[in-house]
């Protein structure tokens, strides 16, 4: 890296201004308007905490007719995970919150990967070196390690001692001429820097009293988060920054960077933490924190988003079954609480049942479910030939009983796809009138080839079984259920008959109950 020499101290004269007051929308590269961004690092795959941050940015953008940007903060080259960048965008599309601008979709502020925007960071660093807002630091890693060890030994928080801040221009020039490696640090302004957060209200934090001057440009030419996010938010015209509350304490530092560069900062809203239901932090060591886990286990994106918004804030009240359209309509950033959100994943199956029922009710989404289930069944039963109308009938009859589409692949529902092996001796042990019970059901199906509903079929079965001499109605139903499915428990016999259809039901009953 080659930058001009450090300038004088003029940057500090008259610089103490209150920051973050009033509506401040940056417009570094676009027309004014609501523009928000989700800026994950592709050092891992998208997890629940990241999904929640992306969702709230998406809802805010769509609520105000704005733009949702995906930007990848990939400057930590040593920690990048292969395929993570593509996976993050895949997960957002699966969740139904696709970005308007992104590495994949492009946009007016491309490129959207920080590793391809280095010239912008170098230019910003040069501006601050020229003004004296930044300086070159030549301290070796060994010296920094010693500072850290000494602080820990003294039971103090490790911090840089700002030694290179005081180098003269000649000292800097001498080190540059000798080829001494360096980083660029930002001069922190002393004193508390107040700003108004849209969630936490007025906040004051004297960052210089607890931290040394931060590195903003590393020795490899890549920026740190502090510089990159400020430069990109400005040049991408970001109007509102909605991010996790862990960044709240760093915001004064970022506002000082905006001030040093002469740029208008965006408004900030820090979202409270998303925690497990017991109050513990979500951990990447948890198998169920990554979004791919929910895709692999057949959960609907609508259900996952509904659960996340119900455990947090930003809405007048909690309400199960909200669609994306409803979430956008009801979302209100001003109702965001400062309390951590407790995520109860044990409730997800019930949320999924509600949303699956909605999708079955809708003709268009039901057709998609039929296609999806057909694919799953082909994988589970290799030689199975299925009619889509049959699958649709199953979905409609089981509506409200299924937590997941994959429930229909369980052994409980195997009778729907393959004929079970039935022990005739077992049927005879259930009732001496087994053959008579079977014949009654067969005649009922043959006499009513159409217009049978669940209600009418239940009524007919109760009426016909009254002629039995020694078998209770409940035992008769158990016998028919075993004959049809090989199972003593499950859906009602009437539903089984309707699911399988008259022709298949008659075949099964005759095979099981005839000599």
């Amino acid at each position: 890296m080659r930058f001009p020499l450090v300038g004088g101290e003029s940057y500090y004269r008259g610089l103490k201004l209150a920051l973050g007051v009033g509506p401040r929308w940056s417009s570094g590269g676009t027309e004014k308007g609501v523009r928000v961004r989700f800026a994950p690092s592709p050092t891992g795959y998208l997890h629940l905490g990241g999904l929640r941050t992306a969702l709230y940015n998406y809802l805010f953008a769509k609520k105000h007719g704005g733009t949702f940007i995906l930007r990848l903060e990939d400057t930590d080259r040593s920690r990048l995970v292969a395929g993570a960048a593509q996976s993050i965008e895949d997960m957002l599309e699966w969740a139904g919150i696709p970005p308007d601008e992104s590495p994949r979709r492009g946009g007016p502020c491309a490129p959207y990967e920080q590793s391809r925007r280095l010239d912008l960071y170098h230019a910003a660093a040069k501006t601050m070196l020229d003004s004296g807002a930044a300086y070159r630091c030549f301290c070796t890693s060994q010296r920094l390690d010693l500072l850290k060890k000494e602080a820990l030994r003294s039971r103090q928080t490790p911090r840089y001692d700002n030694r290179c801040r005081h180098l003269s221009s000649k000292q800097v020039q001498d080190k540059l001429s000798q080829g001494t490696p360096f980083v660029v640090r930002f001069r922190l302004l002393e004193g508390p820097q107040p700003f108004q957060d849209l969630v936490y209200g007025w906040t004051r934090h004297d960052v210089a009293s607890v931290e040394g001057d931060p590195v903003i440009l590393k020795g490899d030419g890549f920026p740190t988060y502090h510089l990159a996010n400020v430069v990109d938010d400005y040049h991408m015209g970001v109007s509102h920054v909605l991010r996790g509350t862990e960044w709240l304490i760093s915001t004064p530092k970022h506002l000082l960077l905006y001030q040093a560069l002469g740029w208008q900062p965006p408004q900030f809203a820090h979202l409270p933490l998303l925690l497990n239901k017991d109050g513990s932090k979500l951990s990447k060591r948890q198998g169920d924190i990554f979004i791919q886990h929910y895709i692999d286990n057949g959960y609907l994106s609508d259900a996952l988003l509904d659960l996340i918004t119900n455990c947090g804030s930003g809405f007048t009240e909690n309400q199960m079954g909200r669609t994306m359209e409803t979430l956008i309509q009801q979302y209100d950033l001003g109702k965001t609480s400062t309390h951590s959100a407790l995520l109860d994943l044990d409730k997800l199956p019930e949320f999924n049942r509600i949303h699956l029922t909605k999708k079955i009710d809708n003709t268009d989404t039901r057709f998609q479910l039929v296609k999806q289930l057909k694919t799953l069944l082909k994988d589970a039963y290799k030689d199975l030939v299925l009619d889509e109308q049959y699958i649709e009938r199953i979905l409609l009859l089981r509506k409200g009983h299924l937590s997941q589409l994959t429930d229909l692949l369980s052994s409980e529902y195997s009778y729907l796809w393959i004929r079970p092996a039935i022990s005739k001796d077992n049927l005879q042990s259930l009732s001496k009138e087994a053959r008579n019970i079977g014949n009654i059901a067969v005649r009922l199906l043959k006499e009513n080839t159409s217009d049978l509903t669940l209600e009418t079929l239940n009524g007919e079965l109760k009426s016909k079984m009254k002629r039995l001499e020694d078998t209770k109605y409940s035992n008769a139903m158990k016998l028919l259920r075993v004959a049809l499915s090989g199972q003593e428990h499950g859906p009602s016999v009437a539903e089984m008959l309707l699911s399988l259809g008259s022709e298949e039901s008659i075949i099964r009953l005759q095979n099981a109950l005839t000599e």
Side-chain angles (χ1 to χ4, degrees):
M1 295 184 297
R2 290 292 182 266
F3 296 99
L5 298 181
V6 173
E9 298 295 322
S10 60
Y11 164 67
Y12 285 97
R13 297 193 185 107
L15 201 60
K16 293 188 176 182
L17 302 172
L19 299 175
V21 183
R24 296 176 177 233
W25 291 11
S26 62
S27 54
T30 62
E31 295 182 1
K32 289 185 178 180
V34 171
R35 288 175 62 82
V36 298
R37 49 67 166 183
F38 174 54
S41 175
T43 54
Y45 297 97
L46 187 64
H47 53 76
L48 290 169
L51 178 65
R52 179 191 182 231
T53 300
L55 172 62
Y56 277 64
N57 274 277
Y58 180 88
L59 294 177
F60 185 79
K62 299 311 168 184
K63 175 81 171 185
H64 298 284
T67 302
F68 174 52
I69 303 166
L70 171 64
R71 185 176 73 223
L72 295 176
E73 299 191 342
D74 60 347
T75 57
D76 190 348
R77 309 304 289 176
S78 64
R79 297 177 58 221
L80 295 183
V81 173
Q86 295 79 10
S87 174
I88 287 170
E89 195 154 357
D90 289 341
M91 296 298 101
L92 294 180
E93 292 179 357
W94 171 82
I97 51 175
D100 300 300
E101 300 172 21
S102 69
R104 183 178 298 169
R105 292 171 180 255
C109 300
Y112 292 90
E113 304 97 330
Q114 288 186 337
S115 59
R116 298 174 60 198
R117 302 170 63 85
L118 297 184
D119 287 348
L120 291 172
Y121 313 133
H122 291 174
K126 179 181 182 299
T127 296
M128 288 187 285
L129 283 169
D130 288 345
S131 70
Y135 60 91
R136 294 177 178 84
C137 173
F138 300 93
C139 291
T140 63
S141 58
Q142 290 83 359
R143 181 177 186 273
L144 296 176
D145 285 341
L146 285 174
L147 284 176
K148 181 178 180 180
K149 289 178 181 178
E150 182 59 32
L152 293 174
R153 187 179 298 114
S154 303
R155 296 183 178 179
Q156 296 178 345
T157 302
R159 57 184 292 182
Y160 178 56
D161 61 359
N162 299 344
R163 174 180 181 179
C164 289
R165 175 195 276 215
H166 307 293
L167 294 177
S168 67
S169 296
K170 184 179 183 306
Q171 288 174 311
V172 171
Q173 183 60 59
D174 288 344
K175 289 185 178 293
L176 288 175
S177 64
Q178 295 167 12
T180 307
F182 66 89
V183 298
V184 177
R185 290 183 182 271
F186 177 64
R187 292 176 185 254
L188 291 176
L189 185 65
E190 294 182 357
Q193 303 299 319
F195 72 96
Q196 189 171 23
D197 187 81
L198 295 176
V199 174
Y200 285 83
W202 280 98
T203 302
R204 295 167 59 90
H205 177 60
D206 185 1
V207 64
S209 67
V210 294
E211 294 183 33
D213 293 337
V215 174
I216 56 173
L217 208 60
K218 296 178 288 186
D220 60 3
F222 280 84
T224 61
Y225 171 81
H226 303 299
L227 176 63
N229 94 90
V230 166
V231 170
D232 285 337
D233 285 348
Y234 172 74
H235 284 288
M236 291 183 177
V238 171
S239 63
H240 297 75
V241 172
L242 279 66
R243 59 187 179 185
T245 190
E246 66 270 20
W247 293 108
L248 183 64
I249 198 171
S250 296
T251 304
K253 189 186 309 179
H254 300 159
L255 288 168
L256 285 172
L257 282 165
Y258 276 105
Q259 193 168 343
L261 290 163
W263 295 343
Q264 189 82 342
Q267 294 191 80
F268 290 89
H270 288 85
L271 306 173
L273 292 175
L274 184 64
L275 304 175
N276 290 308
K277 66 177 181 178
D278 62 359
S280 62
K281 288 185 177 180
L282 294 175
S283 170
K284 292 182 180 180
R285 290 187 293 273
Q286 294 175 225
D288 59 357
I289 190 176
F290 293 101
I291 306 308
Q292 189 63 52
H293 166 82
Y294 299 98
I295 297 175
D296 294 342
N297 284 275
Y299 287 103
L300 298 171
S301 60
D302 287 348
L304 192 57
L305 299 185
D306 194 11
L307 175 64
I308 288 173
T309 53
N310 266 275
C311 76
S313 52
F315 298 87
T316 302
E317 60 183 2
N318 290 338
Q319 176 187 335
M320 295 177 72
R322 283 186 290 219
T323 61
M324 180 59 70
E325 182 180 358
T326 305
L327 288 174
I328 293 171
Q329 180 183 3
Q330 295 184 0
Y331 179 64
D332 184 352
L333 178 61
K335 295 187 181 299
T336 304
S337 168
T338 58
H339 300 295
S340 296
L342 302 182
L343 182 64
D344 188 354
L345 289 170
D346 291 337
K347 295 180 179 179
L348 183 57
E350 177 59 15
F351 276 84
N352 209 71
R353 184 191 67 79
I354 292 171
H355 284 275
L356 183 57
T357 299
K358 286 176 175 284
K359 287 186 178 295
I360 294 173
D361 275 331
N362 181 281
T363 303
D364 293 334
T365 51
R366 182 168 68 244
F367 179 74
Q368 295 171 9
L369 291 174
V370 169
K371 293 289 187 183
Q372 185 180 347
L373 181 55
K374 187 175 182 180
T375 300
L376 292 172
L377 288 167
K378 283 183 177 180
D379 291 338
Y381 303 96
K382 302 301 181 184
D383 300 322
L384 192 64
V385 178
L386 285 172
D387 176 71
E388 290 186 359
Q389 289 184 338
Y390 175 72
I391 297 176
E392 183 178 22
R393 184 166 74 240
I394 300 301
L395 288 176
L396 288 169
L397 286 167
R398 282 280 84 195
K399 180 182 68 177
H401 297 280
L402 302 171
S403 292
Q404 296 171 257
L405 196 62
T406 51
D407 288 351
L408 290 171
L409 301 180
S410 67
S411 58
E412 179 185 352
Y413 292 109
S414 61
Y415 72 91
L416 292 169
W417 322 118
I418 54 175
R419 289 176 184 169
I422 305 299
S423 168
K424 294 180 180 179
D425 291 340
N426 185 35
L427 291 177
Q428 292 295 332
S429 68
L430 291 174
S431 173
K432 296 178 181 179
E433 298 178 282
R435 289 187 63 188
N436 188 25
I437 292 170
N439 288 333
I440 291 173
V442 168
R443 283 197 300 271
L444 176 58
L445 293 173
K446 287 182 176 180
E447 292 169 1
N448 297 272
T449 56
S450 62
D451 300 327
L452 276 176
T453 66
L454 199 59
E455 185 178 355
T456 58
L457 189 51
N458 265 319
E460 288 290 331
L461 284 170
K462 286 183 179 180
S463 175
K464 301 292 184 184
M465 294 303 165
K466 286 181 179 179
R467 65 186 67 175
L468 296 175
E469 296 179 359
D470 299 317
T471 308
K472 293 180 179 180
Y473 175 75
S474 59
N475 289 336
M477 292 302 101
K478 179 185 290 187
L479 184 144
L480 289 175
R481 187 179 291 108
V482 172
L484 292 167
S485 68
Q487 302 172 13
E488 292 189 7
H489 305 283
S492 68
V493 171
E495 183 180 326
M496 283 187 172
L497 294 171
L498 289 178
S499 297
L500 296 168
S502 295
E503 183 177 346
E504 176 64 21
S505 296
I506 288 171
I507 291 172
R508 293 192 184 193
L509 290 171
Q510 290 177 336
N511 287 343
L513 296 167
T514 57
E515 296 295 340

